[in-house]
Amino acid sequence: FFGLFNKISLFSLNSFSVNYNNLKMKNNNKSRRKFFSAMALGVTATSLPFLTNTAYAASDELAATKFVRVEDWFDQIKGSHRIVYDGSTPHGGLPVIWNWAFYASNNETGSADSDITAMTVFRHSGLMYAFNDQIWKKYQLGAIAGVNDPYTDAPSLRNTVYEPKEKDFPLPGIDGVKRLQERGALFCACNLATKVFSSVAAKNMNLDPIEVYNDWVNGLLPGIQLVPSGVWALGRAQEKGCGYIFAGG
């Protein structure tokens, strides 16, 4: 896995710094796409030693505590109707909205929530929806992910999909993450993306990447499961009988 990272050496961490700052200044779709493409293609073990350096063993130990029962977590998938959404980008909240839509549509055709499981995997830039308001504000996640607050028209300083306000979703009555969890929906967060994005945030804020990573992991929303990677979780969900739908932009 990391051998592949070593081969893909198109960008350095310094170039991510530049793109990140340009993203905050321009705040447009084109710069976001360039930034996230760079993140996807250019992260290497040499430019981000956080991913492989044994000096970061403490952070790996923190992640390991979250993985102890991660396989068992997927046993919560139940019912006749099962779907997993690939939330690779924020996409206007669709990784959450479509989760709600799956419950609403199946309810309309006679199925109870107990016979339904919708899972959303927050990965890549969609990862930001997995964190609480404190992390959003402290690390400017709205600027990183290109998510604006509809009440301020500025990069959001809060998670707009956990307990959404009236203007956060395009229609009234759409459940957020918290309510969907109460109905049986499942949400998980990619640990690999957490390492990458927290490391970039640490670089731009001149902070210790290990401390920032730990802060992000401890700042996951209640009930959201940290998984080794988003693609790993998508595979496990499909092994449990979930259909796959891409919900990224």
Side-chain angles (χ1 to χ4, degrees):
F1 176 79
F2 291 113
L4 176 61
F5 269 37
N6 279 320
K7 293 178 182 178
I8 307 173
S9 56
L10 299 178
F11 298 91
S12 68
L13 184 57
N14 288 333
S15 70
F16 294 145
S17 250
V18 172
N19 281 332
Y20 175 84
N21 289 328
N22 286 340
L23 170 65
K24 291 194 293 184
M25 289 187 291
K26 295 179 181 178
N27 193 30
N28 60 47
N29 289 333
K30 184 177 180 181
S31 62
R32 286 199 297 272
R33 285 196 299 270
K34 287 182 178 178
F35 175 70
F36 295 136
S37 294
M39 292 294 290
L41 297 174
V43 175
T44 70
T46 54
S47 64
L48 287 178
F50 181 88
L51 295 173
T52 56
N53 196 318
T54 55
Y56 297 100
S59 66
D60 291 333
E61 289 175 6
L62 174 62
T65 65
K66 307 290 185 179
F67 299 155
V68 170
R69 301 186 64 83
V70 68
E71 295 279 6
D72 295 339
W73 183 78
F74 286 84
D75 290 338
Q76 297 177 80
I77 296 172
K78 65 184 187 311
S80 304
H81 312 295
R82 305 178 179 197
I83 203 76
V84 60
Y85 291 104
D86 183 353
S88 63
T89 67
H91 202 190
L94 287 183
V96 176
I97 294 171
W98 286 355
N99 190 303
W100 164 82
F102 191 73
Y103 279 92
S105 301
N106 277 290
N107 289 163
E108 288 176 355
T109 53
S111 297
D113 286 357
S114 59
D115 198 30
I116 305 165
T117 297
M119 176 187 293
T120 296
V121 178
F122 293 132
R123 68 178 188 90
H124 198 44
S125 62
L127 168 75
M128 308 310 164
Y129 281 150
F131 300 108
N132 64 33
D133 288 351
Q134 290 75 20
I135 300 299
W136 273 72
K137 184 175 182 179
K138 183 175 181 179
Y139 297 102
Q140 304 290 300
L141 298 194
I144 293 176
V147 175
N148 282 354
D149 188 322
Y151 290 90
T152 65
D153 290 325
S156 185
L157 300 177
R158 64 184 177 87
N159 188 322
T160 57
V161 301
Y162 184 58
E163 294 183 283
K165 298 180 180 180
E166 183 179 355
K167 295 181 181 180
D168 288 338
F169 285 151
L171 295 172
I174 298 175
D175 292 336
V177 169
K178 183 177 181 180
R179 174 63 185 132
L180 285 166
Q181 288 174 322
E182 293 169 353
R183 299 179 65 178
L186 301 173
F187 297 86
C188 59
C190 173
N191 184 55
L192 181 57
T194 302
K195 286 186 175 185
V196 171
F197 280 99
S198 66
S199 182
V200 172
K203 171 71 174 179
N204 281 277
M205 297 174 71
N206 295 315
L207 298 173
D208 185 322
I210 301 175
E211 291 182 3
V212 174
Y213 168 78
N214 290 342
D215 202 17
W216 284 35
V217 170
N218 291 322
L220 286 169
L221 290 168
I224 290 190
Q225 174 67 49
L226 188 69
V227 294
S229 71
V231 292
W232 178 92
L234 291 167
R236 286 296 192 275
Q238 290 175 83
E239 289 170 7
K240 294 288 187 179
C242 290
Y244 169 90
I245 294 179
F246 179 66

